[in-house]
Amino acid sequence: MIVLAIETACDDTAVAIVRDGHDVMSNVVLTETIAHERFGGIVPELAARAQLELLTPAIEQALADASVKLHQIDALAVNNRHGLLRSITVGVAAAKALSLALNIPLMPIHHIEGHIYSAIIENPTMPWPHVCLTVAGGHNLLLQANSHGEYQLLGRTLDDAAGEVYDKLARRLGLGFPGGPKVDKLAAKGNPTAFDLPRPMIGDGTCDFSFSGLKTAVTRLLDDLEEASQPIPVEDIAASFQAAVVDVLVAKVLVAMRKVSASVVTVTGGVSANSGLRSRLSEMASHHDFEAFFPSLRYCTDNAAMIACAAHYRGIEHAVGTNEGLDASSNAPLGELGVLYSSKKQRGQ
Ligand code: KG4
Ligand code: ZN
């Protein structure tokens, strides 16, 4: 079955064509960063306007890259949950129009479920249960993934997501947007022990996170250096900041791995592209006798292949109807009360 998937949660316009959940025939991500660079962060209105312009070219490019014609698409999948409402609405409206025009089924997918499946695209034999750390700009969760469509929340951030704090630091340092990759690059050249930054909630034994104290601490550090007219050691600040974030993320994964009898943790979402996190967690995993699985970089940040893969396991081959009543929501929990998500309960949405 050939699925065309659309993902427009944030500032990216992503379209993928995927056969049978794993054969990624094309994976297009178009991003309009110029406006966001100017403002040092995502401006929701500008993101949605750009997506309105970029979605048709992205669909055309995805079809061309896959050497597939529109009439060969068997079904559609779209993120209709989690992200910026105007942005998701652009993707959902396009998916509904295509569904009606082609008279093929359309399946809604939660953005975070998509990120969970970004680790499964390339690894269909992923063992269950496994732990999933999913960290991006808009979410920061630890989940126990019991089986396809069955996830239990272990912990989440009580305030900021790690990616958001990376973006804020980059903005303050004038590095542009998105900040994560830029801070990551600078961190590789700096001294991670140059500044002693807090590791909030690191030893509390829970799987919850808090990054706002770290954000305040690094902001105060920069304020103090500026006030004293001292040069800003950007690389050392980036390295010290990254060390604090990675220490917390790794410590929380270790807590989760102790709670869940699992042999694998998957790490997904934009921050899973972080070089410091990838190397430290891999090292800790081999030390503690479990496996840390990171998707390829193209599947770490937002993409539509992960939406198609999730749709495959939610049974898109059995989906019927064009789903013209499909809604969009910016902040829907992953399942009832945000605690347990069961695809069975949500079928027919
Ligand atoms: O998954 P994603 O594309 O969108 C959301 O769901 O939020 O993640 C984007 C986030 C941004 O905050 C970006 O700065 C961060 O992921 N990010 C990184 C890196 N690459 C992307 N953070 C740290 N290090 C990176 N290499
Ligand atoms: Zn995302």
Side-chain angles (χ1 to χ4, degrees), residues 250 253-254 257 263-265 277-294:
V250 170
V253 167
L254 293 181
M257 293 308 285
S263 59
V264 178
V265 59
L277 179 61
R278 290 172 93 95
S279 67
R280 265 291 301 292
L281 189 54
S282 303
E283 214 175 278
M284 289 307 278
S286 67
H287 185 70
H288 288 267
D289 218 19
F290 63 87
E291 189 197 339
F293 182 84
F294 292 86

Side-chain angles (χ1 to χ4, degrees), residues 7 9-10 82 111-112 115 134 136-139 269-270 300-303 306:
E7 164 58 67
C10 203
H82 197 85
H111 180 70
I112 293 172
H115 275 302
T134 180
H139 67 272
C300 289
T301 42
D302 286 352
N303 65 90
M306 67 187 194

